[in-house]
Amino acid sequence: MSLTTNATGSVTFGNGTIDGNLTVNAPNVSFDNSATTPYTVSGAVTANNLTVSGTQTVTASGVPATVTATTTGGNVSADAVAAGTTAVTFQVTDANGKAVPNGTIVSLALAHTGTGSYTLVNASGTPITSAQTSGGSVTVYVTSTHPDAGDTFTVSATAQAGSNTVPSPAASVTDTVIPGVVKTFTVATPGTQTAGSQYTTTVTATDAYGNLTDNVGTVTVSGSALDTSLSGTPGAGSVGTFSKGVATLTATSYAATTSAVLTVSNGASTPITVSTSAFTVSPGQVSTFTVATPGTQTVGSQYTTTVTATDAYGNLTDSVGTVSVSGSAVGTSPNGILGTGSVGTFSNGVATLTATSYAATTSAVLTVSNNASTPIGGVSNPFTVSPGIVQSTSYVSVLHSTAVAGPGNIAFTVSPVDQYGNPVTGLSATDFAVLGLAGGGTPSPDAGSFSESNGVYTFTITDTNANEDFSWNPQPQFLTVAINTTNNGNVDLYQMAMVTVFPGSPAGATLSSFGTSTGSSGVYKASATYTLHDAYGNGISGLPNSDPNFAVYDVTGITNPLPGQGVKLQEWTGTGSPTSAGYYTITQIGIGTYTLTVWVSDSGNFTIDVYY
């Protein structure tokens, strides 16, 4: 049965059952159920501001009886909440479990905890507090401009057929906001680090709403802090697992710099990338010293070069310890003076090495070393330390203390040294002179005779003067070797040697007198005076009687006889006595000057030819 009434006022029913629809079209109709049991309406109940009074409730098909949330509560992403895509659906049914008619009013309520602010909206994004059913359900959305992780929100719904009907029990759904996808990384800037040493810092990930998030994707590390060092070692860095939005970044830098940065980035299609502020990666302890090779130096003169310190990765470093200098360049000179060397303060990996060398050499090296338990050292390439100016001829020798007058007859060895005892090299023949020659000598080294070997000079001079004195004997000559060169400031330096020069081989005899024989009884005496000399005019003294070769010629009747003219008399044996023909005597009367007396058996004019 259906009951349809358009009347206004009050419609009163007794006990009974309406088998069909109850439709009340008149506005503001009062339905007074005074029965002791409810009416059962099998059809739909349609009413316009129906007032139900009495002690019982009308239970009818189409009247909202139950609201059920079909969306399960749980965790929702802050991104979804902010986008307004977090949907909550309620199903509304009557007492018979059937969906209520479309348009049934569902009242909505939103409660939340936390710091965020949340709003219920429809599919168009319009804020709402109620919604009408469609197909027995309503779907609403929760949105927020700042969803904070950890916040919870509860959406409640209740339905009623009209404002004058009893509403259904409420249903609700509770969701918890969880962080969204990372929007920003923050990398804590490390303090000063040391090349080659591992260090850590933190990476913080937040979503678009400032929530710490672990939803970061694959995170990688780059940046200048991981640049390849000069030695070719690349830096390394990785980010660990995020927990509550924080992860540990572990890195090792090898390239020293004052502007290192670490950059993290994820693998999103539009990557999130952020870098630290600049920080310093300091070089490590010295691993290598490099000593610049000086040019040619001079003993006794201070000079400088540079020492460069690098760590194991090629970075310039000032972490060097105490650095000392050694090597042959600061060795001891021949006269015992030790070279000096020191290294100044390192700045940006470079220091000045100051040294003074006293030992001349062509293979000087400078060695630096520090005081580490395992010392780090470095050596220059060989360089030359030249001797200083000549301070002494040191040593002069003649190969023989006696010599025979003639070319190159006196050989010298001279070893000039500087003030530190180093042999002085590079002198020329014109730097040497020999003083004290008695005469007839060449004071400069003979042409072609001059040579040098490691500062020892050898040369000859020619002395043709036998320097014979009144005793008719050659006297020793004190010869002085002088060095006069710009190398020593044009100051003559002397060293003395002694040598005796003897006459050379007889080269001729000069006849100074001859005459007529005198005597009686068939034995006549004739005398001649002659001087015997070598090729340089030195008189040859001290010859015994058996040494001369001479011939006696009878030149009677020959005017101005020439040598070898006349009648050659017999050879002379020097035997017998002054009373017998063939006897002769030789008497030295001066330096190389002799009187030859012969005894002949005839009188007349004679010449004597001496031919040593």
Side-chain angles (χ1 to χ4, degrees):
M1 175 185 99
S2 296
L3 175 62
T4 302
T5 178
N6 294 319
T8 60
S10 175
V11 178
T12 303
F13 294 95
N15 291 336
T17 298
I18 300 176
D19 294 325
N21 297 324
L22 171 60
T23 302
V24 182
N25 291 323
N28 301 315
V29 173
S30 174
F31 176 43
D32 182 10
N33 179 18
S34 59
T36 57
T37 59
Y39 274 88
T40 299
V41 181
S42 62
V45 176
T46 303
N48 186 2
N49 292 329
L50 175 64
T51 300
V52 179
S53 62
T55 58
Q56 299 296 323
T57 301
V58 176
T59 300
S61 178
V63 175
T66 302
V67 179
T68 304
T70 62
T71 302
T72 303
N75 296 328
V76 293
S77 168
D79 293 327
V81 174
T85 60
T86 302
V88 178
T89 300
F90 295 98
Q91 184 72 40
V92 184
T93 58
D94 62 14
N96 300 312
K98 295 181 179 180
V100 297
N102 291 342
T104 299
I105 302 299
V106 178
S107 297
L108 303 167
L110 175 65
H112 69 88
T113 64
T115 57
S117 59
Y118 301 87
T119 303
L120 281 174
V121 297
N122 60 19
S124 299
T126 302
I128 59 174
T129 58
S130 65
Q132 295 182 358
T133 60
S134 174
S137 65
V138 293
T139 299
V140 297
Y141 301 88
V142 179
T143 188
S144 174
T145 58
H146 197 284
D148 292 339
D151 286 358
T152 62
F153 56 81
T154 301
V155 180
S156 300
T158 185
Q160 60 187 111
S163 62
N164 294 318
T165 65
V166 178
S168 67
S172 64
V173 174
T174 300
D175 286 316
T176 300
V177 179
I178 62 175
V181 176
V182 63
K183 179 68 174 179
T184 302
F185 288 117
T186 302
V187 187
T189 301
T192 298
Q193 303 300 321
T194 300
S197 296
Q198 189 180 80
Y199 57 97
T200 61
T201 188
T202 56
V203 181
T204 303
T206 54
D207 63 14
Y209 319 104
N211 300 304
L212 294 171
T213 181
D214 298 337
N215 191 355
V216 295
T218 301
V219 180
T220 57
V221 184
S222 60
S224 60
L226 306 186
D227 284 350
T228 299
S229 71
L230 293 175
S231 66
T233 305
S238 62
V239 177
T241 302
F242 279 80
S243 176
K244 297 180 180 179
V246 179
T248 297
L249 187 159
T250 302
T252 305
S253 300
Y254 296 99
T257 176
T258 58
S259 57
V261 294
L262 288 166
T263 300
V264 297
S265 180
N266 67 356
S269 57
T270 302
I272 305 300
T273 301
V274 70
S275 299
T276 65
S277 298
F279 62 98
T280 296
V281 177
S282 298
Q285 292 292 319
V286 63
S287 177
T288 302
F289 285 117
T290 301
V291 183
T293 302
T296 297
Q297 304 299 322
T298 301
V299 293
S301 297
Q302 188 180 84
Y303 57 96
T304 61
T305 188
T306 58
V307 181
T308 303
T310 53
D311 65 12
Y313 312 107
N315 301 299
L316 295 171
T317 181
D318 297 336
S319 298
V320 297
T322 301
V323 182
S324 57
V325 181
S326 60
S328 59
V330 289
T332 303
S333 72
N335 63 358
I337 299 178
L338 183 65
T340 61
S342 62
V343 177
T345 301
F346 280 80
S347 176
N348 294 324
V350 179
T352 297
L353 187 159
T354 303
T356 303
S357 300
Y358 296 100
T361 175
T362 58
S363 57
V365 294
L366 288 166
T367 300
V368 298
S369 179
N370 69 357
N371 62 340
S373 56
T374 301
I376 304 299
V379 184
S380 71
N381 291 326
F383 61 98
T384 296
V385 177
S386 299
I389 63 174
V390 179
Q391 293 292 319
S392 169
T393 54
S394 180
Y395 181 74
V396 173
S397 67
V398 289
L399 297 184
H400 302 284
S401 59
T402 60
V404 175
N409 61 325
I410 304 176
F412 285 92
T413 299
V414 184
S415 302
V417 295
D418 63 17
Q419 69 187 95
Y420 308 110
N422 298 294
V424 177
T425 59
L427 301 181
S428 65
T430 56
D431 295 323
F432 292 84
V434 178
L435 309 176
L437 297 171
T442 55
S444 298
D446 293 328
S449 71
F450 187 84
S451 65
E452 178 202 350
S453 176
N454 298 322
V456 178
Y457 299 85
T458 301
F459 58 89
T460 64
I461 65 168
T462 296
D463 188 0
T464 59
N465 192 329
N467 193 31
E468 296 168 293
D469 65 2
F470 62 88
S471 67
W472 307 338
N473 295 314
Q475 298 301 307
Q477 301 181 59
F478 289 93
L479 303 181
T480 299
V481 175
I483 298 177
N484 186 357
T485 169
T486 55
N487 177 280
N488 66 346
N490 292 316
V491 175
D492 286 330
L493 299 171
Y494 302 98
Q495 188 70 30
M496 191 174 291
M498 186 170 66
V499 65
T500 301
V501 177
F502 288 90
S505 299
T510 301
L511 191 65
S512 58
S513 66
F514 62 93
T516 302
S517 63
T518 59
S520 62
S521 302
V523 178
Y524 302 90
K525 179 174 69 175
S527 296
T529 300
Y530 67 93
T531 300
L532 186 63
H533 57 82
D534 62 14
Y536 308 102
N538 296 301
I540 301 174
S541 301
L543 294 177
N545 289 347
S546 60
D547 285 344
N549 291 304
F550 62 91
V552 178
Y553 294 88
D554 185 349
V555 292
T556 302
I558 301 175
T559 303
N560 298 323
L562 298 174
Q565 248 185 331
V567 178
K568 183 177 180 181
L569 302 184
Q570 74 271 17
E571 297 294 332
W572 307 92
T573 64
T575 60
S577 65
T579 60
S580 61
Y583 180 76
Y584 72 91
T585 61
I586 298 176
T587 303
Q588 184 171 354
I589 61 173
I591 298 174
T593 301
Y594 300 86
T595 296
L596 173 63
T597 302
V598 298
W599 279 263
V600 297
S601 58
D602 297 318
S603 62
N605 294 325
F606 301 90
T607 62
I608 300 174
D609 291 343
V610 179
Y611 49 94
Y612 278 88

